[in-house]
């Protein structure tokens, strides 16, 4: 039997007395990343038994609003790419890209 490899990704969150994130660090040794600081993280997981998504949404209290807007735009855009690769649904992918463009325009992100 072949040996199974394990890849581990870790999130460390420093929180204040109200359990609000002050600092977030992540480690992915396979990617040569160790305790890299970040201001936000969105993690989605699929529970196949209950047929529902689970999520962890974290951001530090000093995350700038403009950065959060860009983070969401980029996340929506990459989710669109992932959706296309996973489903090959070109029609919905186009609709999702149209929404991403709308989102960027409404938030005036395309000019930055």
């Amino acid at each position: 039997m072949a040996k199974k490899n394990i890849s581990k990704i870790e999130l460390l969150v420093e929180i204040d007395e109200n359990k609000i994130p002050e600092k977030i660090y992540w480690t992915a040794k396979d990617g040569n990343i160790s305790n890299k600081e970040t201001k936000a993280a969105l993690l989605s997981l699929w529970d196949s038994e209950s047929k529902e998504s689970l999520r962890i949404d974290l951001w530090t209290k000093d995350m700038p609003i403009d950065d959060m807007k860009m983070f969401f735009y980029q996340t929506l855009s990459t989710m669109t790419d992932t959706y296309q690769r996973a489903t090959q649904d070109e029609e919905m992918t186009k609709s999702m890209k149209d929404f991403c463009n709308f989102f960027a325009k409404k938030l005036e992100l395309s000019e930055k």
Side-chain angles (χ1 to χ4, degrees):
M1 180 184 266
K3 180 183 175 198
K4 293 185 180 184
N5 293 318
I6 295 175
S7 182
K8 185 175 176 181
I9 299 171
E10 294 180 308
L11 290 175
L12 297 173
V13 183
E14 289 182 16
I15 57 175
D16 67 11
E17 63 279 354
N18 297 311
K19 298 186 178 182
I20 306 294
E22 290 188 331
K23 295 200 181 279
I24 303 169
Y25 303 93
W26 69 291
T27 297
K29 291 190 175 156
D30 287 355
N32 293 319
I33 297 165
S34 182
N35 288 322
K36 181 159 176 61
E37 188 171 356
T38 187
K39 296 290 183 188
L42 304 175
L43 176 63
S44 295
L45 305 163
W46 178 249
D47 185 327
S48 60
E49 289 180 25
S50 63
K51 302 290 186 206
E52 64 183 357
S53 61
L54 310 170
R55 70 178 203 278
I56 298 171
D57 303 332
L58 298 170
W59 61 92
T60 59
K61 53 184 162 186
D62 66 342
M63 171 83 167
I65 296 293
D66 285 345
D67 286 0
M68 183 61 90
K69 290 176 182 180
M70 183 59 75
F71 179 51
F72 265 84
Y73 167 70
Q74 291 178 0
T75 300
L76 290 169
S77 295
T78 57
M79 285 176 60
T80 299
D81 296 338
T82 302
Y83 179 82
Q84 194 282 325
R85 284 193 316 274
T87 66
Q88 303 303 305
D89 184 342
E90 298 296 334
E91 185 177 335
M92 183 54 70
T93 298
K94 182 183 178 324
S95 295
M96 293 169 73
K97 285 184 179 186
D98 289 345
F99 175 75
C100 289
N101 291 333
F102 168 79
F103 187 90
K105 185 173 181 177
K106 285 297 263 188
L107 295 178
E108 300 178 347
L109 297 177
S110 57
E111 297 174 10
K112 294 180 181 177

